[in-house]
Amino acid sequence: MPEAEQSDPEGGAGTPPPHTGVLAELSQLGVAIKELFGAQLELLSAEIGLARSAISWMLLAGLAATIAGVGLGLTLLALVGVLLAKWFASWVWALLTLAALQLVFLLVAIMFFRRCMHWMTLPATRTEWSAMMRATRARARRRVEREDAA
């Protein structure tokens, strides 16, 4: 071991001597911060890539769920129609009953939509809606200004 120390004038086995002084420590701190933020930036870009991919997959899953829901609804309507036809012993009465049920469902949906539109006109909702629209416009203006400045 003493021979290794004597043959290596820097005091280590091929490693540089430890830096001393404030300037060297600040340099090491800068390198460490650069590596840290570089790693954080890589992680952020990977997460954004995953989020973009997830949005596409979510839209595709929503479309598939909508198609499956419509198919299920049509199948159940057909099943109810067959059962009504057997119960009434008439396809005409079964189809009229189904049409009446669908009409009731449509009217309930329209009434619910109108109620929701009424809720949107209430004073508290109007002020929240206005504030949200102003904030959206302000963000859009800032984005345009940043793009124009660049």
Side-chain angles (χ1 to χ4, degrees), residues 16-33:
H19 294 286
T20 56
V22 174
L23 187 59
E25 289 180 11
L26 285 176
S27 173
Q28 287 177 347
L29 177 65
V31 168
I33 289 174

Side-chain angles (χ1 to χ4, degrees), residues 88-148:
F88 289 137
S90 168
W91 277 101
V92 173
W93 282 111
L95 293 176
L96 285 174
T97 304
L98 274 179
L101 287 173
Q102 289 176 354
L103 181 65
V104 168
F105 182 74
L106 176 64
L107 292 175
V108 169
I110 290 172
M111 288 178 7
F112 181 65
F113 180 80
R114 289 184 57 157
R115 175 57 56 184
C116 290
M117 292 301 289
H118 171 71
W119 290 336
M120 292 292 293
T121 62
L122 296 176
T125 309
R126 277 198 313 254
T127 56
E128 291 173 8
W129 181 259
S130 299
M132 186 174 61
M133 290 297 109
R134 280 192 300 274
T136 302
R137 272 185 281 171
R139 279 195 308 265
R141 284 186 193 132
R142 285 192 301 265
R143 185 180 308 136
V144 167
E145 289 171 0
R146 277 195 312 252
E147 290 174 359
D148 289 343

